[in-house]
Amino acid sequence: MKQLHKNIKIFYLATTLTTLAASLPHAVLTVLLFAKGLSLTQIMLVQATYSLVILVSEYPSGLLADLYSKKVLFLWAKVLAIMPSKYTDEIENSSYTWRVFYMSRKSKYSAEQKLAIL
């Protein structure tokens, strides 16, 4: 019984820290966007859009998790996460992101050679 109470306290602590970690970036983002010159209304729209995208993507991600393996979904998530930075690089005429992606894999180059190439 003593172990159960200890586990419950640890669970509450972990839940509190997780909630804090999830909400802290939004607080910092608000201050940064305000410093960039956005109004409170614009910041609210950014945060609302972000929340809506999270809400809309939660259900399909749960459904996909039931249908496919974690490994396949993880790989697709990484590919989809890289795609926006690829398009950003094309706009800026730079392929820095792709060079970092390819060079972060195991290669014959040392860390110094990788930095020299970048």
Side-chain angles (χ1 to χ4, degrees):
M1 194 61 142
K2 198 173 198 178
Q3 183 67 29
L4 178 63
H5 289 294
K6 180 181 177 186
N7 287 344
I8 290 172
K9 287 179 183 179
I10 291 173
F11 173 75
Y12 284 143
L13 177 65
T15 303
T16 302
L17 292 176
T18 303
T19 304
L20 179 65
S23 62
L24 188 61
H26 293 286
V28 172
L29 180 63
T30 301
V31 173
L32 291 176
L33 291 175
F34 193 65
K36 291 280 187 184
L38 271 69
S39 69
L40 290 177
T41 305
Q42 292 169 327
I43 294 171
M44 187 258 329
L45 287 173
V46 168
Q47 296 284 8
T49 304
Y50 172 78
S51 297
L52 182 65
V53 168
I54 294 297
L55 180 70
V56 169
S57 64
E58 277 295 318
Y59 181 74
S61 67
L63 185 64
L64 290 173
D66 291 340
L67 296 174
Y68 300 105
S69 72
K70 286 182 182 179
K71 185 176 183 179
V72 170
L73 289 176
F74 180 76
L75 291 175
W76 273 107
K78 290 301 173 189
V79 167
L80 292 174
I82 290 172
M83 286 176 66
S85 54
K86 170 65 173 133
Y87 294 128
T88 303
D89 286 345
E90 287 177 2
I91 291 170
E92 297 174 358
N93 294 326
S94 169
S95 60
Y96 178 76
T97 304
W98 285 103
R99 284 186 277 161
V100 170
F101 173 72
Y102 286 124
M103 293 180 68
S104 66
R105 305 179 75 158
K106 291 184 179 177
S107 69
K108 61 184 178 184
Y109 300 109
S110 68
E112 291 82 15
Q113 290 171 327
K114 289 179 185 179
L115 288 174
I117 292 172
L118 293 175

